[in-house]
Amino acid sequence: MRMIKLAVGAVAIAVSGVAVGQVAGVREELAKAVAVPSRTPANVARDSARHPAQTLAFFGVKPTDTVVELIPGGGWYTEILAPYLNTRGTYYAAGGWAKGLDGVKRLQAANPAVYGKVKLAAFPAAAGEPVVPTGSADVVLTFRNIHNLRFAGVDRTQAAFAEMYRMLKPGGTLGIVEHRLPEARDAAAEEKSGYMKVSSVIGFAKRAGFQVAALSEINANPKDKADYPDGVWTLPPTYQLGAVDRAKYAAIGESDRMTIRFLKPKR
């Protein structure tokens, strides 16, 4: 496996294209989960931009794991993770308790055979709301959501990373995919653009106690310059500007994304 050293601020990080120790059997099971017929066709159409099988393999997600997905939204990854973990693993969808899990609830109501075992938890949780048990998760994942946490403020973002740390077993994995802001840009752009700097995400994670395991360019898009009238939502699939320059933004494609694997130390 070819390793590249990337300097991010004062941190030297190993950049890897695949997860260490991945076996062919796990990759085959991930491929089957991506190919399940229960997935929504519109979601399948995004696979070429989001590389779900490669991304989950990089994060080392096994079918026997307890996996927590934070802020699952409409359930794009739920449609893959629920069938993948349905027989031997456990899948938690954790999001805003009032309505943040409505997308997952709709999937459960429409197809209980596939989604009936999905466990729901609050994140971030208010007093009295159900949470993922402490030290229970092998893997915590979140896709294109760190900017949403950042919009709530630096302190709330740091508290969210502390909550991720609490959920994980010692030695567990935190996997993050996020829209990537170039390091040279003003950090104030993180407050409104939907993009985050790699160094910022790593900073939040390290202050929570995580160690950086590896970065991957699986979800990179060099066409994305991260500088648009309506931030990342200018690009597909949102097309916030509607018909304005739609062909231009379609040609750029979905955002350039960091893909980072963190570890909770074993002790």
Side-chain angles (χ1 to χ4, degrees):
M1 178 176 61
R2 191 165 74 94
M3 303 295 289
I4 304 170
K5 293 296 182 180
L6 171 68
V8 180
V11 184
I13 301 163
V15 180
S16 169
V18 296
V20 175
Q22 281 299 310
V23 297
V26 170
R27 289 195 295 267
E28 289 172 6
E29 292 201 46
L30 283 169
K32 289 178 182 178
V34 170
V36 292
S38 54
R39 292 186 67 203
T40 305
N43 288 346
V44 174
R46 303 254 58 83
D47 285 358
S48 61
R50 298 183 176 181
H51 313 103
Q54 299 96 315
T55 299
L56 294 173
F58 174 75
F59 291 144
V61 182
K62 301 185 296 297
T64 54
D65 282 341
T66 294
V67 177
V68 180
E69 184 188 357
L70 305 177
I71 319 177
W76 199 93
Y77 263 98
T78 303
E79 290 189 347
I80 297 168
L81 289 167
Y84 181 65
L85 299 163
N86 192 44
T87 302
R88 293 181 287 158
T90 300
Y91 171 63
Y92 281 90
W97 196 243
K99 58 180 181 178
L101 297 171
D102 284 356
V104 176
K105 291 176 182 178
R106 284 192 289 270
L107 290 174
Q108 289 181 312
N111 194 341
V114 174
Y115 303 107
K117 292 184 180 179
V118 174
K119 297 186 177 184
L120 305 180
F123 176 84
E129 294 177 343
V131 297
V132 176
T134 298
S136 63
D138 298 290
V139 182
V140 171
L141 302 171
T142 193
F143 303 95
R144 306 173 309 282
N145 280 312
I146 302 302
H147 64 277
N148 290 317
L149 300 173
R150 180 66 182 83
F151 292 163
V154 172
D155 292 345
R156 292 282 297 276
T157 308
Q158 196 60 62
F161 272 84
E163 180 68 359
M164 299 175 205
Y165 192 89
R166 180 197 65 78
M167 296 175 186
L168 281 165
K169 299 174 182 177
T173 294
L174 169 63
I176 289 176
V177 176
E178 178 57 290
H179 311 295
R180 179 162 49 190
L181 185 70
E183 290 293 320
R185 296 281 179 82
D186 187 342
E190 295 179 335
E191 299 175 5
K192 58 183 179 180
S193 70
Y195 290 92
M196 295 285 298
K197 293 185 180 185
V198 171
S199 58
S200 296
V201 174
I202 289 175
F204 283 118
K206 292 188 74 174
R207 285 189 291 274
F210 288 103
Q211 297 174 347
V212 180
L215 279 75
S216 171
E217 292 299 290
I218 294 167
N219 296 300
N221 178 5
K223 295 180 181 179
D224 177 17
K225 304 307 178 186
D227 187 13
Y228 308 109
D230 278 11
V232 72
W233 304 280
T234 306
L235 298 177
T238 307
Y239 290 114
Q240 191 70 38
L241 298 180
V244 177
D245 291 329
R246 190 179 182 94
K248 180 179 96 172
Y249 297 125
I252 294 170
E254 294 197 21
S255 67
D256 176 51
R257 293 164 188 162
M258 66 183 86
T259 304
I260 312 179
R261 188 171 76 244
F262 297 96
L263 292 178
K264 178 176 180 175
K266 291 186 177 180
R267 62 187 183 96

